[in-house]
């Protein structure tokens, strides 16, 4: 029975052998030539961090939308079921708060603080942003 399976499998794979040889040869050719298309060359010459730095902060409307969305996420749903998810949401929330403060010229000290001190600073920053005219509710 095993020989019959081997014969059928071999008969099915033999017609594919020329294609496999072509693929292997083509791959070796490309590896030897190391041919780069102009698009590949351009992609390797661009530093994504420099591009993002040139863009500057996102528009304040986007930040307000993100802050409202993240506020809903941190208050309920899947976020409360997973510690890692909660930490990721809080990190994103704090990053957006810092960006909004930068856009509106509000002083903040969120990054160096931890624990209850960070939570108190977060409440103060949200109040300051709302006083500056940002609608977070």
């Amino acid at each position: 029975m095993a020989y019959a399976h081997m014969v059928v499998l071999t008969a099915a794979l033999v017609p594919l052998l020329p294609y496999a040889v072509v693929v292997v040869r083509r791959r070796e050719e490309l590896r030897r030539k190391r041919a780069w298309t102009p698009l590949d060359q351009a992609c390797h010459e661009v530093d994504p961090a420099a591009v993002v730095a040139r863009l500057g902060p996102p528009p304040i409307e986007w930040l307000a939308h993100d802050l409202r969305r993240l506020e809903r996420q941190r208050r309920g749903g899947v976020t409360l079921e997973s510690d890692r998810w909660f930490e990721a949401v809080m990190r994103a929330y704090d990053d957006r708060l810092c960006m909004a403060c930068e856009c509106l010229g509000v002083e903040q000290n969120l990054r160096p603080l931890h624990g209850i001190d960070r939570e108190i600073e977060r409440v103060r920053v949200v109040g300051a942003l709302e006083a500056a005219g940002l609608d977070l509710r």
Side-chain angles (χ1 to χ4, degrees):
M1 187 66 141
Y3 291 117
H5 288 294
M6 287 178 23
V7 169
V8 170
L9 185 61
T10 303
L13 293 178
V14 166
L16 299 176
L17 190 60
Y19 297 108
V21 170
V22 169
V23 167
V24 168
R25 282 186 180 170
R26 179 69 178 148
R27 192 169 149 207
E28 287 300 317
E29 279 179 27
L30 289 176
R31 189 179 308 160
R32 268 187 262 120
K33 289 182 183 178
R34 295 194 186 270
W36 293 94
T37 66
L39 180 60
D40 289 334
Q41 197 74 27
C43 288
H44 287 286
E45 293 172 358
V46 174
D47 180 20
V51 172
V52 170
R54 281 194 305 264
L55 291 175
I60 194 69
E61 295 85 11
W62 291 4
L63 291 173
H65 175 75
D66 278 351
L67 284 166
R68 287 189 293 267
R69 177 182 53 83
L70 290 165
E71 176 67 24
R72 283 191 307 271
Q73 284 184 355
R74 78 185 195 124
R75 297 280 181 214
V78 178
T79 307
L80 298 178
E81 297 173 10
S82 168
D83 290 338
R84 285 189 178 186
W85 191 291
F86 181 76
E87 290 299 321
V89 168
M90 292 308 295
R91 204 170 324 119
Y93 186 73
D94 289 343
D95 287 343
R96 298 313 186 283
L97 282 176
C98 292
M99 285 189 261
C101 287
E102 183 181 327
C103 287
L104 295 177
V106 174
E107 288 291 322
Q108 57 84 18
N109 292 316
L110 281 170
R111 290 198 172 102
L113 300 175
H114 299 284
I116 191 71
D117 293 333
R118 189 172 203 154
E119 185 62 37
I120 292 169
E121 178 67 5
R122 193 177 291 130
V123 170
R124 187 197 67 76
V125 167
V126 167
L129 288 172
E130 287 178 340
L134 191 62
D135 182 25
L136 298 178
R137 305 272 178 220

